[in-house]
Amino acid sequence: MKKRIGILWCLWWWVQVGWAQGLSIEYGPTVLPLDQYFTVSLKAAAKRPEKVEGFPEIEGMQKSAQRVSSSTYRTGAKTTVVYTITQQYAPLREGEFTVKPFTLQVDGKSVAAAGVKGRIKSAAAPDQDTLAPAPVVASAPEFIEVRESAFLTLHLPKERVYVGESVPVSLWFYVADTDLNLVDFYEFEPQILEITRLLKQRSTLEQVLEQQEIKPEKIKVGEKSFTRYKLHEAVLFPITAQPLKFPAVGLRMVKYKIAQNPSLLGQNRLPEYKTYSTSEKTVTVRPLPPHPLRDQVAVGVFRLREQLSRNTVSLNQNLVYQMQIEGEGNISALPMPQSKWVSSTLEIYPPEVRQQVRLQEGRIWGSKTFRYFMVGRQAGEYPLREHFQWVYFNLQTARYDTLRPSVKVKIRGQEDQNAFIRAQDAGNFYKIIDTESNQLIGLDQFKEIRRYTNVVLAVMGVVALILFIFQRNE
């Protein structure tokens, strides 16, 4: 047990030493004008400190705000992140100042710093300082603004559509490959939720294309190489002729300034914020041409695939006809084919419905299958095109089109009216014939039953009266 405790203590000590080795304290310039901040900075490698306490009070200076920043360094395949917490001090007067040795408490661990002396000079005075340099001095880097090639765009490949036609919508962020180190995403989840709320259209059915993660894609814009990120994708289906108006939306990103003279250990990037915005866009929605089924038909590009279990059957035998509509459009909302359910020659029962939907690159396509059971009641040959039809608006021709079956069903055999009657549902009355008795019952039998019942009731009344009198006399 003692050995295990000793091993655990050694591991804990090793972790703490490794963590402490990744911490250092640096001072800003020790000679500075009255109108600039003096700084004390804590640098932490790989891990951002959660709690830092103990920045000293300096005589002649007013403790001001803290700044937190991070820098990323790449050496081959290795990436290192250095976090910097900077405490600012505002000078109150000119003259010399002294920072005594102090200790910072960083997440409960101690980090010691040596003292340093410095001088505050007039803002206009030239630098003639002769003080010895501090043990740890880091000159404040100067950051410059670098113009980046990056933009946010809402992609709408269609400017005019019909009611019911698909409208792909996608939001992209582009950044040039040479400027990848200048921008970073910032609080993406709450921002994209607000953006998608603004992009919603009340007069449409919406199919959102979910994505598990945002993956970078390489693309050429002109002669320049870009990396783009798909932030949101959906397909809309207008249900009215009201135009679709998409407002300008903005995405706030981290935009870095670059140190003019970068160093290996110093802070080489200064994070700021910049909002990238899209432009307003409108999609015109046209009503469908006049048609008796205008408000019921599907809109898209479709074709018919059909399958018949057998082409020839005997009377009163069933068969299966499968009618599959496939193509591009709002598959989930495809209506059922129009069919003649009641017929003395061919009985057709309501279909089983199955569908397959695929969403890819702003397109929704797939199939919807209608599986019918049919029974032939009269001999003959029956083209199924006379029993089924499916009307839709064809976007390729901008006209209404009708899909009809091409197969025929042949019913053979001698017509048997009795078999037809037997095949019908006769009702519950006839279903109990086999279970009921076939013995005749006389009409006088019910009179005798009534007579015996009256006698029994009279006897029971007399007995009850006697019991009542007997209990009363007692």
Side-chain angles (χ1 to χ4, degrees):
M1 186 67 181
K2 292 181 179 179
K3 185 177 181 180
R4 293 181 180 177
I5 294 175
I7 293 174
L8 292 175
W9 187 89
C10 290
L11 289 173
W12 177 84
W13 179 84
W14 179 80
V15 171
Q16 301 306 317
V17 170
W19 165 239
Q21 288 177 348
L23 301 173
S24 63
I25 297 176
E26 297 181 359
Y27 293 108
T30 54
V31 178
L32 67 159
L34 185 62
D35 57 355
Q36 292 186 11
Y37 285 113
F38 174 68
T39 60
V40 179
S41 300
L42 171 70
K43 288 186 176 291
K47 177 183 177 183
R48 176 176 176 174
E50 296 181 0
K51 186 177 182 181
V52 180
E53 297 178 332
F55 281 105
E57 299 291 338
I58 303 176
E59 185 178 356
M61 294 191 182
Q62 175 66 46
K63 186 183 288 187
S64 185
Q66 286 187 10
R67 292 189 297 108
V68 181
S69 61
S70 63
S71 301
T72 304
Y73 304 95
R74 293 182 176 88
T75 305
K78 184 179 180 181
T79 301
T80 303
V81 180
V82 177
Y83 297 92
T84 303
I85 300 177
T86 302
Q87 176 64 59
Q88 297 177 328
Y89 295 85
L92 301 178
R93 60 179 180 271
E94 298 180 19
E96 296 183 355
F97 67 90
T98 300
V99 181
K100 298 179 181 180
F102 64 94
T103 300
L104 288 182
Q105 297 297 321
V106 183
D107 293 340
K109 310 305 173 188
S110 299
V111 182
V116 69
K117 291 184 178 181
R119 181 166 62 86
I120 304 299
K121 60 183 180 178
S122 172
D127 185 7
Q128 297 178 351
D129 178 58
T130 57
L131 292 177
V136 182
V137 177
S139 58
E142 181 179 353
F143 297 95
I144 58 175
E145 183 74 34
V146 179
R147 184 179 180 84
E148 80 286 3
S149 296
F151 57 92
L152 181 71
T153 180
L154 183 67
H155 182 56
L156 296 170
K158 300 179 180 179
E159 295 182 355
R160 298 183 65 191
V161 297
Y162 284 100
V163 170
E165 183 179 351
S166 63
V167 182
V169 179
S170 55
L171 183 68
W172 298 82
F173 182 75
Y174 286 72
V175 58
D177 288 351
T178 55
D179 300 333
L180 287 173
N181 64 327
L182 296 180
V183 293
D184 269 334
F185 287 101
Y186 171 75
E187 295 184 354
F188 176 75
E189 289 297 333
Q191 289 196 80
I192 198 63
L193 288 176
E194 178 63 17
I195 289 174
T196 54
R197 186 187 68 82
L198 295 174
L199 294 178
K200 284 186 178 294
Q201 304 292 318
R202 295 184 177 180
S203 61
T204 66
L205 300 176
E206 182 181 41
Q207 182 73 53
V208 178
L209 281 69
E210 301 290 348
Q211 50 185 356
Q212 299 298 325
E213 58 180 332
I214 299 176
K215 296 181 179 180
E217 301 178 12
K218 298 296 183 180
I219 192 173
K220 284 275 190 180
V221 179
E223 297 297 325
K224 199 168 187 177
S225 297
F226 276 78
T227 297
R228 67 176 184 176
Y229 303 86
K230 185 190 294 182
L231 310 183
H232 171 69
E233 186 176 18
V235 179
L236 308 180
F237 296 94
I239 56 179
T240 68
Q242 179 180 351
L244 307 182
K245 296 182 179 180
F246 298 89
V249 295
L251 180 67
R252 195 181 190 196
M253 303 279 289
V254 177
K255 169 66 172 62
Y256 293 100
K257 287 185 176 180
I258 302 299
Q260 189 171 13
N261 298 309
S263 62
L264 180 61
L265 298 178
Q267 181 181 353
N268 295 324
R269 298 193 303 174
L270 179 64
E272 294 184 341
Y273 299 103
K274 182 176 180 179
T275 299
Y276 298 86
S277 300
T278 65
S279 57
E280 296 182 0
K281 292 190 176 183
T282 302
V283 176
T284 303
V285 182
R286 295 175 288 179
L288 295 178
H291 191 275
L293 301 176
R294 181 172 65 175
D295 297 330
Q296 304 174 29
V297 299
V299 178
V301 179
F302 301 99
R303 59 182 175 272
L304 172 63
R305 292 184 182 273
E306 53 185 338
Q307 185 177 1
L308 193 62
S309 60
R310 42 188 172 175
N311 296 86
T312 303
V313 294
S314 301
L315 280 171
N316 302 317
Q317 289 186 341
N318 62 27
L319 56 90
V320 179
Y321 173 63
Q322 185 168 285
M323 189 175 186
Q324 185 179 77
I325 310 297
E326 64 179 18
E328 182 177 352
N330 191 0
I331 302 297
S332 300
L334 295 186
M336 290 177 53
Q338 293 179 305
S339 57
K340 297 179 181 179
W341 301 107
V342 180
S343 174
S344 59
T345 59
L346 194 64
E347 287 186 2
I348 303 174
Y349 296 91
E352 297 177 356
V353 183
R354 292 176 295 178
Q355 71 178 28
Q356 291 182 340
V357 182
R358 299 179 181 87
L359 297 83
Q360 187 177 9
E361 297 180 356
R363 297 176 54 203
I364 295 184
W365 50 284
S367 64
K368 201 161 191 176
T369 303
F370 305 90
R371 193 164 182 259
Y372 294 90
F373 289 87
M374 296 182 288
V375 179
R377 296 305 185 188
Q378 290 186 13
E381 188 174 74
Y382 306 101
L384 292 185
R385 63 182 295 112
E386 298 178 358
H387 295 266
F388 298 95
Q389 66 174 11
W390 194 76
V391 182
Y392 74 102
F393 184 77
N394 192 334
L395 291 175
Q396 290 183 337
T397 61
R399 296 188 308 175
Y400 291 95
D401 203 349
T402 303
L403 299 179
R404 289 186 175 89
S406 60
V407 297
K408 299 179 180 180
V409 176
K410 186 175 182 180
I411 309 299
R412 63 185 180 183
Q414 186 70 28
E415 184 175 352
D416 186 354
Q417 292 295 335
N418 292 330
F420 175 77
I421 294 174
R422 288 194 298 268
Q424 305 303 307
D425 185 5
N428 294 329
F429 177 78
Y430 293 97
K431 290 181 179 179
I432 64 175
I433 290 178
D434 295 334
T435 61
E436 292 296 320
S437 173
N438 59 359
Q439 297 295 326
L440 297 176
I441 299 176
L443 297 178
D444 295 335
Q445 183 176 354
F446 293 104
K447 294 181 179 180
E448 294 179 2
I449 292 174
R450 188 183 304 114
R451 185 182 305 115
Y452 293 138
T453 302
N454 292 335
V455 171
V456 171
L457 291 176
V459 172
M460 291 178 64
V462 171
V463 172
L465 180 61
I466 294 172
L467 291 175
F468 175 75
I469 295 173
F470 179 76
Q471 290 179 357
R472 187 175 182 182
N473 292 334
E474 289 182 352

